């Protein structure tokens, strides 16, 4: 619930800050401003998720290689 309040407050702040003087924005201008902000937020979120995924895959790959090597030496022994 708190996230919704923050999001609505942020959108109202963006809409009000884009007003020229005392005139309110037209619907098209407000729509464009909100879409621009949402695109920035979305692209940043996707980049963060991609970074987290890449780091996780690297870590899992490293530990999988170590485990495979240990199992191989345990099973086959030193020859």
């Amino acid at each position: 619930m708190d996230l919704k309040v923050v999001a609505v407050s942020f959108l109202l702040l963006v809409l009000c800050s884009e007003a020229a003087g005392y005139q309110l924005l037209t619907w098209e201008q407000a729509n464009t401003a909100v879409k621009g902000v949402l695109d920035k937020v979305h692209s940043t979120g996707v980049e963060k998720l991609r970074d987290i995924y890449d780091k996780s895959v690297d870590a899992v790959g490293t530990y999988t290689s170590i485990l495979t090597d240990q199992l191989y030496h345990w099973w086959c022994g030193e020859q």
Side-chain angles (χ1 to χ4, degrees), residues 13-58:
L13 176 67
V14 169
L15 292 176
C16 291
S17 66
E18 294 290 329
Y22 291 105
Q23 288 182 326
L24 294 176
L25 296 175
T26 64
W27 180 249
E28 286 183 13
Q29 291 171 331
N31 195 14
T32 303
V34 170
K35 282 185 179 180
V37 170
L38 290 177
D39 287 341
K40 287 179 186 176
V41 169
H42 177 68
S43 66
T44 303
V46 170
E47 290 172 5
K48 286 181 182 179
L49 287 175
R50 185 176 295 138
D51 186 45
I52 291 169
Y53 174 77
D54 289 339
K55 288 180 181 179
S56 300
V57 168
D58 289 342

Side-chain angles (χ1 to χ4, degrees), residues 1-20:
M1 185 71 165
D2 293 333
L3 183 60
K4 290 180 183 178
V5 173
V6 171
V8 169
S9 300
F10 180 73
L11 290 176
L12 285 174
L13 176 67
V14 169
L15 292 176
C16 291
S17 66
E18 294 290 329

